[in-house]
Amino acid sequence: MITDKRTLVVGNWKMHLTVHQASLLVHRLNQNIQLHRSVEVVLAPSMLSLQPTSQEIDRRKFGLAAQDAYYEDEGGYTGEVSFAMISGIVDYVIVGHSARRIYFGETLETVKHKVKAAVRNGIVPIICVGETKEERRAKQTKQVLHDQVTTAVMDLTSRDIEQVVIAYEPIWAISAYDGEAARPEDVEKAVKYIRFQIEELYGRKAAERIRVIYGGSVDDHSAKAFLRVDGVDGVLPGAASLNYRQFTGIVEAAYQVQTEIRAKDDKK
Ligand code: PEP
């Protein structure tokens, strides 16, 4: 990990919380989360809660992300909200989350257009990639990551690429609190492979600078193990981000791991 990078913690609230409930959670988070310069904390509420949340969050402590947006800037796309419409409100947008790919038929092409639209509108895309259980069993993880990563970033310049965040989210490990969890060694291998793809396309500097984070059943107990994995620059918790105690615990874990890594680097 390059230690001048801030650790990124992104809470994906998915399709949970009314505007009122979101506001209560923000109130708790404002009260409980400490400001750490080495940790960047981002909240991803529903589209409906984005605007009120943007006015309620302590901006020194929190950034804001949308969970999705549409790639055309405007037009007759009933029901959609564009990247252009949310630029100025959000810093990040989650793109290609497995829920979008599975339930809403998003293809590699769709994700590519969304990544491009995010960058065009000055928003950092958090590109989610990861294999299904079947693909893992069939030992296709590398092929899947290759296809997802290379298509998603295809239209980006070498300047754009360093801004992008890639989230490794193995689908079999999402919401798997009672099931099979990813092991740090699985995550390390996948993250290394993702950086290798970026290096092949954009060179070593870009591969080192791009932020790669992990998501899949991360909570306040497991966060440190994932954050200590070489090459992991942050975490993307879903369910645990809806609980202010757990989310606060994850942010504190990120701060402690950053402090450990910085102390080690200083001794070198
Ligand atoms: C997610 O939805 O991106 C996610 C990682 O969810 P969870 O942490 O609940 O597995």
Side-chain angles (χ1 to χ4, degrees):
M1 184 191 279
I2 298 173
T3 45
D4 64 348
K5 282 185 196 166
R6 298 172 77 198
T7 300
L8 184 60
V9 178
V10 184
N12 176 15
W13 294 359
K14 312 192 198 192
M15 197 177 74
H16 294 291
L17 309 183
T18 62
V19 171
H20 179 64
Q21 289 166 334
S23 177
L24 291 177
L25 180 56
V26 167
H27 179 68
R28 293 267 195 224
L29 295 174
N30 277 336
Q31 277 182 328
N32 285 276
I33 291 194
Q34 302 281 317
L35 177 66
H36 296 298
R37 278 182 46 216
S38 57
V39 182
E40 182 178 2
V41 185
V42 175
L43 308 177
S46 75
M47 198 59 99
L48 190 63
S49 292
L50 272 183
Q51 177 74 33
T53 303
S54 77
Q55 283 159 1
E56 289 163 358
I57 48 176
D58 180 339
R59 279 279 177 184
R60 291 166 308 161
K61 289 186 186 173
F62 302 105
L64 202 58
Q67 297 175 16
D68 183 38
Y70 191 58
Y71 55 78
E72 295 292 352
D73 286 346
E74 64 169 306
Y77 304 99
T78 303
E80 293 296 319
V81 176
S82 70
F83 288 88
M85 287 167 163
I86 55 173
S87 72
I89 301 179
V90 302
D91 313 285
Y92 293 89
V93 179
I94 298 172
V95 175
H97 190 278
S98 57
R100 303 291 322 163
R101 297 185 197 250
I102 294 168
Y103 304 128
F104 302 98
E106 285 199 3
T107 62
L108 296 177
E109 282 288 298
T110 321
V111 173
K112 179 180 82 175
H113 293 316
K114 290 190 173 187
V115 168
K116 177 94 178 150
V119 170
R120 181 173 73 241
N121 284 289
I123 304 171
V124 176
I126 300 172
I127 307 168
C128 297
V129 296
E131 78 285 4
T132 62
K133 193 192 280 181
E134 293 70 33
E135 288 162 343
R136 172 174 148 86
R137 284 204 186 120
K139 304 211 177 312
Q140 291 168 346
T141 301
K142 281 190 175 174
Q143 187 60 49
V144 171
L145 293 179
H146 168 272
D147 295 350
Q148 292 180 342
V149 170
T150 54
T151 333
V153 302
M154 191 177 270
D155 287 342
L156 302 185
T157 66
S158 48
R159 257 178 78 193
D160 298 336
I161 193 72
E162 294 190 11
Q163 305 303 318
V164 162
V165 176
I166 299 183
Y168 173 55
E169 294 217 311
I171 297 169
W172 50 273
I174 294 182
S175 305
Y177 295 95
D178 302 323
E180 195 181 4
R183 296 166 308 170
E185 51 269 39
D186 298 321
V187 177
E188 184 168 357
K189 256 194 230 160
V191 165
K192 213 177 243 167
Y193 189 68
I194 290 168
R195 286 194 197 279
F196 171 69
Q197 290 308 319
I198 299 297
E199 184 170 348
E200 290 279 284
L201 294 167
Y202 294 94
R204 178 181 279 215
K205 190 171 151 258
E208 281 172 4
R209 295 224 59 90
I210 195 169
R211 287 172 294 171
V212 183
I213 64 176
Y214 170 72
S217 309
V218 174
D219 62 18
D220 47 341
H221 300 293
S222 63
K224 276 192 181 173
F226 293 118
L227 288 162
R228 285 190 183 119
V229 171
D230 194 29
V232 168
D233 299 311
V235 285
L236 199 171
S241 69
L242 294 165
N243 176 307
Y244 79 90
R245 286 201 183 90
Q246 285 195 37
F247 194 62
T248 304
I250 294 171
V251 173
E252 282 309 301
Y255 171 64
Q256 286 166 19
V257 172
Q258 259 282 4
T259 309
E260 279 169 27
I261 293 171
R262 284 176 192 224
K264 262 191 214 153
D265 281 359
D266 285 349
K267 276 195 194 147
K268 279 181 193 165

